[in-house]
C-alpha cells in the first residue's frame, strides 16, 4: 500500500482541518495511506508522494530535487503564485487575459481607474482599484518592497468564475460575486453560486492544464458584459470551500483517484 503526505504550514492546516480529513478518507477509499505533515523536517524520505499545499515554490523544488513525487510540481507553484508569469503564460498560449505589466511607480500607469496587485498576493488582500495618482502612490508606498503589476480596470460586475481542474478535466465550477467593491473572493464575503462554464472557457482552462501538466489547480476567469471572458489568475494551492458549498462534488475524492492513476502510470 502506497503512503503519501499532505503538506500544510501549521496555520493553514488549522484552517483546513475538514479538507484534510476528506483527503485522508478519500485516500483510504482508493487504497492509499495519507498522513499530515506541517514541517519540512518531518517529511519522510520513504513517502511515495506529497500533496503540496503551500505557496512556496522554493521548498517544492527542494523536495523534487530530493526525489519526492509532488502534486503539483514546483514549476506550477511558481507560475500560479506569480501573476505576471501567469499573464505571460496566457499570452504564450493565446488565451485572452487581463492585460498586465510590471510597474514601479504611478507614472507608469496610463489611465485611471487602474488595478494594482502584488505579483505574489492571494485572497484579494493585496489588490486595489486606484482612481488617481494619489491612491496609486499609497499602494506603492505600502508595498514598496514587492513586485507590482498594473492592470486596466475591467468592468465584470465584481463577478468571476473559478474552474476546478483535476488533471485536464473539469471537476466543477463556481461563480463568485463580490458583496461590495470589485473583488469577488469568497473569503472576503462574496457570494458563491454553482456555474456551468462555457465550452470555450473549459477549453481555455485545458490549454493551461496541458501546458503546465498540472494535477489540481483553480483557473479564474473574469466575466465580461458581452459574454466573453478573460483569464485573471491561476490558483495553486486552490481552496475548495465554495465548491463543497454549491455542489455534490467531493474534490478530495476526485483528486485522490487522479493521484492513484498517476502513481500507477
Amino acid at each position: 500500500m502506497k503512503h503519501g503526505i499532505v503538506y500544510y504550514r501549521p496555520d493553514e492546516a488549522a484552517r483546513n482541518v475538514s479538507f484534510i480529513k476528506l483527503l485522508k478518507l478519500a485516500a483510504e477509499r482508493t487504497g492509499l495511506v495519507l498522513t499530515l505533515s506541517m514541517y519540512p523536517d518531518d517529511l519522510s524520505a520513504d513517502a511515495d508522494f506529497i500533496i503540496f499545499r503551500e505557496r512556496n515554490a522554493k521548498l517544492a523544488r527542494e523536495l523534487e530535487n530530493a526525489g519526492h513525487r509532488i502534486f503539483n510540481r514546483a514549476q506550477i507553484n511558481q507560475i500560479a503564485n506569480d501573476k505576471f508569469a501567469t499573464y505571460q503564460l496566457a499570452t504564450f498560449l493565446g488565451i485572452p487575459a487581463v492585460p498586465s505589466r510590471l510597474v514601479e511607480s504611478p507614472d507608469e500607469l496610463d489611465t485611471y481607474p487602474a488595478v494594482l496587485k502584488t505579483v505574489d498576493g492571494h485572497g484579494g488582500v493585496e489588490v486595489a482599484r486606484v482612481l488617481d495618482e494619489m491612491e496609486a502612490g499609497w499602494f506603492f508606498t505600502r508595498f514598496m518592497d514587492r513586485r507590482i503589476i498594473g492592470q486596466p480596470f475591467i468592468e465584470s460586475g465584481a463577478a468571476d468564475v473559478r474552474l476546478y481542474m483535476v488533471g485536464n478535466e473539469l471537476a466543477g465550477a463556481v461563480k463568485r460575486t463580490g458583496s461590495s467593491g470589485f473583488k469577488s473572493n469568497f473569503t472576503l464575503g462574496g457570494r458563491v453560486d454553482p456555474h456551468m462554464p462555457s465550452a470555450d472557457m473549459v477549453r481555455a482552462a485545458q490549454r493551461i492544464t496541458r501546458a503546465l501538466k498540472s494535477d489540481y489547480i483553480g483557473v479564474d476567469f473574469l466575466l465580461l458584459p458581452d459574454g466573453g471572458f478573460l483569464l485573471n489568475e491561476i490558483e495553486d494551492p486552490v481552496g475548495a470551500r465554495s465548491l463543497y458549498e454549491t455542489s455534490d462534488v467531493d474534490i478530495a475524492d476526485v483528486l485522490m483517484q487522479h493521484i492513484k492513476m498517476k502513481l500507477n502510470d
Side-chain angles (χ1 to χ4, degrees):
M1 185 176 289
K2 293 185 177 180
H3 169 243
I5 292 170
V6 56
Y7 179 78
Y8 278 95
R9 292 197 324 258
D11 58 328
E12 288 297 317
R15 291 182 63 245
N16 289 277
V17 170
S18 296
F19 187 58
I20 293 168
K21 182 178 180 180
L22 289 171
L23 284 171
K24 289 181 177 181
L25 291 172
E28 290 180 13
R29 290 193 296 268
T30 56
L32 302 172
V33 175
L34 190 67
T35 58
L36 170 67
S37 287
M38 295 181 288
Y39 303 96
D41 291 344
D42 293 340
L43 292 170
S44 170
D46 298 329
D48 295 294
F49 64 94
I50 298 173
I51 302 174
F52 192 76
R53 301 286 294 171
E54 182 180 353
R55 293 174 175 86
N56 188 336
K58 180 177 181 292
L59 176 57
R61 190 169 294 108
E62 290 173 355
L63 294 172
E64 284 182 340
N65 291 340
H68 287 288
R69 180 76 178 272
I70 307 292
F71 296 89
N72 288 304
R73 300 181 302 113
Q75 185 182 22
I76 299 165
N77 196 287
Q78 179 178 348
I79 292 172
N81 292 295
D82 184 323
K83 293 179 177 63
F84 187 64
T86 295
Y87 173 70
Q88 290 178 309
L89 175 67
T91 301
F92 177 76
L93 295 175
I95 295 171
V98 179
S100 306
R101 60 192 179 99
L102 293 170
V103 288
E104 296 183 355
S105 74
D107 295 338
E108 298 179 42
L109 297 176
D110 298 325
T111 59
Y112 292 95
V115 175
L116 295 175
K117 302 178 179 180
T118 59
V119 298
D120 55 347
H122 62 91
V125 296
E126 295 181 0
V127 178
R129 179 177 62 179
V130 294
L131 302 179
D132 52 37
E133 188 171 340
M134 182 177 295
E135 289 188 356
W138 172 86
F139 189 92
F140 280 99
T141 299
R142 183 181 178 191
F143 298 108
M144 63 172 53
D145 59 339
R146 307 280 290 284
R147 295 168 69 224
I148 294 170
I149 59 170
Q151 299 176 329
F153 173 69
I154 295 174
E155 181 54 60
S156 64
D160 73 358
V161 172
R162 170 167 292 176
L163 276 61
Y164 290 87
M165 305 296 296
V166 177
N168 296 321
E169 300 302 320
L170 174 69
V174 297
K175 179 180 179 181
R176 307 180 302 175
T177 307
S179 57
S180 62
F182 73 103
K183 302 176 188 178
S184 60
N185 304 72
F186 183 49
T187 53
L188 296 181
R191 171 180 168 179
V192 62
D193 296 289
H195 187 77
M196 179 61 69
S198 68
D200 286 343
M201 192 180 290
V202 175
R203 282 192 287 267
Q206 288 174 326
R207 292 178 74 178
I208 293 170
T209 60
R210 291 190 180 103
L212 292 177
K213 298 181 175 63
S214 58
D215 298 295
Y216 173 39
I217 60 173
V219 184
D220 297 348
F221 293 100
L222 292 185
L223 298 176
L224 303 180
D226 64 2
F229 60 86
L230 294 174
L231 176 69
N232 192 28
E233 295 183 7
I234 301 171
E235 291 291 332
D236 174 40
V238 57
R241 291 180 182 85
S242 58
L243 184 63
Y244 278 106
E245 289 210 3
T246 58
S247 76
D248 295 327
V249 176
D250 185 351
I251 199 73
D253 190 68
V254 178
L255 176 58
M256 294 312 304
Q257 292 285 354
H258 169 81
I259 289 174
K260 182 177 181 180
M261 179 187 69
K262 286 295 184 180
L263 293 174
N264 290 334
D265 283 350

